[in-house]
Amino acid sequence: MAAKLAVLAVVLALLGSASCQSGYGGGSPNPSPPSPTTTYPPAPSPPASPTPPASGLKVGYYDDKCPGAEAVVRDAVRVADAGIKAGLVRLFFHDCFVRGCDASVLLKPTDANPQPEMLGIPNLSLRGFEVIDAAKSVLEARCPGVVSCADIVAFAGRDASYFLSNGAIAFAMPAGRYDGDVSLASETIPNLPPPFADVTRLKAMFAAKGLDTVDMVALSGAHSIGRSHCSSFSDRLPPSATSDMDPTLAAELKANCTSATGADNTVSQDYRTPDQLDSQYYMNVISRKVLFASDAALLKSNDTRALVYAAAMAPKVWQNKFGEAMVKMGNTEVKTAANGEIRKVCGFVNNKPY
Ligand code: HEM
Ligand SMILES: *[C@@H]1O[C@H](CO)[C@@H](O)[C@H](O)[C@H]1NC(C)=O
Ligand SMILES: *[C@@H]1O[C@H](CO)[C@@H](O)[C@H](O)[C@H]1NC(C)=O
Ligand SMILES: *[C@@H]1O[C@H](CO)[C@@H](O)[C@H](O)[C@H]1NC(C)=O
């Protein structure tokens, strides 16, 4: 116990310096509002004190505009299976990182726009669209033209986190986002980090969205749920000469990725608790039992390594931080009535030919 506390003290000291660093990789197009809780871990305190919302967003935004709106989304998420729930957490991330949290990820191909985001290469295995559509159709019947698809994506990501953590990750999600009308496959690769990204690149790509290293490491814990296609990490399997993946896991993945038909199989992100959003991810990083080079990279710089150990040792602190970082991610380049709309159907913009 004393030894554990000593390690924690070292980790806290490291974090003190890490959290004072400013943004990486140059300009940040969407600086987040100053947060009163930039130290991590914060004192053990009541759950979920969210970062101040971006301009215009507010907790309980639909309370008077469409009472029960958040409950409609939660009910739609509740009945989805664990894999779809994981997909909803990822959908929110992909939406926010490409053109801001504006539901651009939901727009389907049309004659006018044959290559939307959902056809970009990093979209591989995006799932959960039908949950968003189900919630939207109930909400349109109840309060037509009121609840944006961007907010439904944000609520669904929050609710999926809640269910997959058995209620341990519970936080309020500010709302009031409008939906965008531009969606381009060509914008996915420049904005979404690839699975082979090193730590410098990861920091820079998150900083470009107003998210710091603490947020980045906390959000990476989402790789404790869901699945991946083998093609996303096959370069790390035997006979790779450079991979630092645990050899036992690598051999097992190699077997599970072998397919007689040449199909791109899928495997669980977290070999131990695949359907739980939990801090097991950080144990996996430490024991080198993670799929992507971008996961393994978190051990390769002092600040991210300290954050990985802190999250592994103090799951509650990580759970709170995860919620805060989701809220902060939800502030990314949010649209307003001036440059957005409330879509009638989430797959298509209003009043445009398609
Ligand atoms: C740090 C940079 C990140 C990289 C490089 C990355 C990359 C990936 C890749 C390659 C996959 C597998 C896709 C496939 O082959 O099927 C994946 C899955 C997933 N990612 Fe990430 N990701 C990152 C951050 C995040 C963040 C911030 C979140 C959410 C907060 C997230 C949530 C997920 C989830 C839940 C899955 C599983 C999805 C499913 O089962 O449908 N990831 N990620
Ligand atoms: C993702 O993109 C691929 C390739 O462009 C496409 O075949 C696939 O249908 C897309 N996936 C989704 C969920 O839209
Ligand atoms: C490999 O597949 C087996 C059989 O489906 C499964 O039990 C095991 O968890 C998988 N292992 C990994 C690491 O994906
Ligand atoms: C990382 O930590 C090690 C050991 O504490 C130290 O020697 C090294 O200078 C640190 N590197 C950086 C870039 O701070």
Side-chain angles (χ1 to χ4, degrees), residues 83 86-87 89-90 93-94 97 122 124-127 193-197 202 206 216 219-220 222-223 225-232 266 269 292 294 322 326 329:
V89 176
R90 185 170 182 234
F93 163 54
H94 278 223
F97 265 56
L124 269 175
S125 86
L126 277 183
R127 47 184 179 159
F196 50 83
L202 290 173
F206 277 72
M216 189 264 284
L219 289 169
S220 296
H223 287 173
I225 50 173
R227 67 184 187 188
S228 172
H229 286 79
C230 291
S231 55
S232 296
T266 59
Q269 295 268 2
F292 308 136
S294 59
F322 183 84
M326 288 281 279
M329 184 162 75

Side-chain angles (χ1 to χ4, degrees), residues 42 55 58 84 108 153 169 217 297 319 354:
S55 50
K58 127 177 183 217
I84 297 296
K108 298 198 168 110
V153 170
I169 296 177
V217 175
Q319 286 161 355
Y354 57 80

